[in-house]
Amino acid sequence: MLSAERVRSGLGASRFDDIRLLAEVDSTNRVVRAAADGGAGEGMVVIADHQTAGRGRLDRTWEAPAGSAILMSVLLRPGLPATDLHLVTAAVALAARAACSSVGGVLPDLKWPNDLMVGEAKLAGILAEATLPTSEAGSAVVVGLGLNVSSCPPGAVFLQAVGQGPVDPSALVADLLGDLDRRMGRWDQVIGDYRAACATIGRRVRVVTPGGEMVGHADAVDDHGRLVVTSEDAARHVLAAGDVIHLRSSNPPTDRASGQEGRSTQ
Ligand code: BT5
């Protein structure tokens, strides 16, 4: 059972000095966005036991039975231009990954742009939303995390199923927030760590963007957190948003050489 008091005592001094635990809410991102619009400062954290309208990107929903997941949104004012907001998603993804490792005994891969994966199954997703006009540097950013702990929808994965048994959610959140607190502002390190943890780089991928769909090779993540893809017609694309599916390589001998044989399923 999550306890705000245990999160606070496990966390100690940090920018996250306003931690609220709600039994039920429509969406923690909605609550924190409203607070940000009302002028709330950096460091507000809202965690819910249950969401009735949990949100993914675009118009998707985030599903989690009551008490089965970390459903959390944080308010950050990272002082970054709109072009660099991926770095905030990357920092939260890295912090969640580290907490899964230290508290849950599992080190997930990161899938660009916003997923934590165990193998090809989704363990957690991140939704970052800038609250002010995107041209304004220093705008507030609300970052929501849904992390499956003791249950998940079909096709996904939850931490206790793949880790070392029961997980203390308060310890997980305290660890995550402490790690995130230390990463904020150290953006060069964030992008370096993100590249090292990102399972998308070097993979053959299908990418779906608002502009269409392509198959290609994910070459890199640039300094702004954008994915650089060479499509099958040899064109280079720098993507700020999109959905990625990891594909089997079309070149099995190369796959064997790089040790990636059989890692992807889609
Ligand atoms: C995400 O979107 O992965 C971002 C999810 C963010 C959820 C958190 S919960 C706290 C905060 N408050 C909110 O209202 N939201 C944030 P996206 O990449 O668009 O993925 C959404 C898709 O993931 C859905 O369409 C489903 O296919 C799948 N999905 C839904 N629930 C899932 C779950 N519990 N585990 C794994 N996959 C899930």
Side-chain angles (χ1 to χ4, degrees):
M1 191 68 178
L2 237 164
S3 144
E5 198 43 56
R6 296 226 314 281
V7 173
R8 282 185 208 106
S9 63
L11 175 60
S14 81
R15 77 192 63 217
F16 300 110
D17 56 2
D18 178 8
I19 299 173
R20 306 176 191 189
L21 186 57
L22 308 175
E24 186 171 278
V25 71
D26 51 356
S27 154
T28 56
N29 261 43
R30 208 267 313 148
V31 171
V32 176
R33 277 191 71 151
D37 289 343
E42 179 172 73
M44 179 184 189
V45 180
V46 172
I47 309 169
D49 222 36
H50 185 231
Q51 293 183 128
T52 53
R55 302 202 326 249
R57 293 173 303 149
L58 306 173
D59 282 332
R60 299 174 193 147
T61 56
W62 188 258
E63 307 288 345
S68 73
I70 305 296
L71 305 168
M72 174 172 81
S73 298
V74 299
L75 173 51
L76 300 166
R77 295 189 183 270
L80 289 169
T83 46
D84 285 350
L85 291 181
H86 275 301
L87 302 183
V88 182
T89 299
V92 173
L94 288 164
R97 178 176 189 257
C100 287
S101 174
S102 60
V103 179
V106 175
L107 188 64
D109 285 330
L110 304 184
K111 189 176 90 162
W112 190 89
N114 67 323
D115 292 337
L116 278 76
M117 310 289 291
V118 175
E120 295 301 322
K122 184 159 168 169
L123 175 69
I126 294 166
L127 174 65
E129 300 177 287
T131 61
L132 293 175
T134 48
S135 60
E136 183 177 328
S139 54
V141 181
V142 176
V143 193
L145 170 80
L147 194 164
N148 304 320
V149 175
S150 59
S151 168
C152 67
V157 69
F158 58 96
L159 193 54
Q160 288 185 176
V162 289
Q164 296 167 342
V167 169
D168 174 356
S170 306
L172 189 69
V173 171
D175 204 90
L176 191 164
L177 292 176
D179 187 283
L180 178 60
D181 191 54
R182 292 187 290 278
R183 285 184 195 277
M184 291 297 294
R186 298 164 65 194
W187 303 118
D188 287 349
Q189 174 145 12
V190 165
I191 200 66
D193 290 350
Y194 183 82
R195 287 182 182 121
C198 181
T200 304
I201 299 171
R203 293 290 291 264
R204 188 166 176 261
V205 291
R206 179 185 307 280
V207 189
V208 183
T209 70
E213 196 172 320
M214 75 178 90
V215 171
H217 183 267
D219 300 322
V221 170
D222 75 6
D223 288 347
H224 304 282
R226 298 174 301 188
L227 188 67
V228 182
V229 175
T230 302
S231 54
E232 288 180 319
D233 59 0
R236 184 172 177 271
H237 306 263
V238 181
L239 305 170
D243 286 305
V244 166
I245 299 161
H246 292 165
L247 300 173
R248 286 183 192 280
S249 170
S250 55
N251 185 347
T254 305
D255 249 15
R256 269 192 290 278
S258 64
Q260 291 188 353
E261 187 186 25
R263 281 196 62 204
S264 62
T265 56
Q266 297 188 58

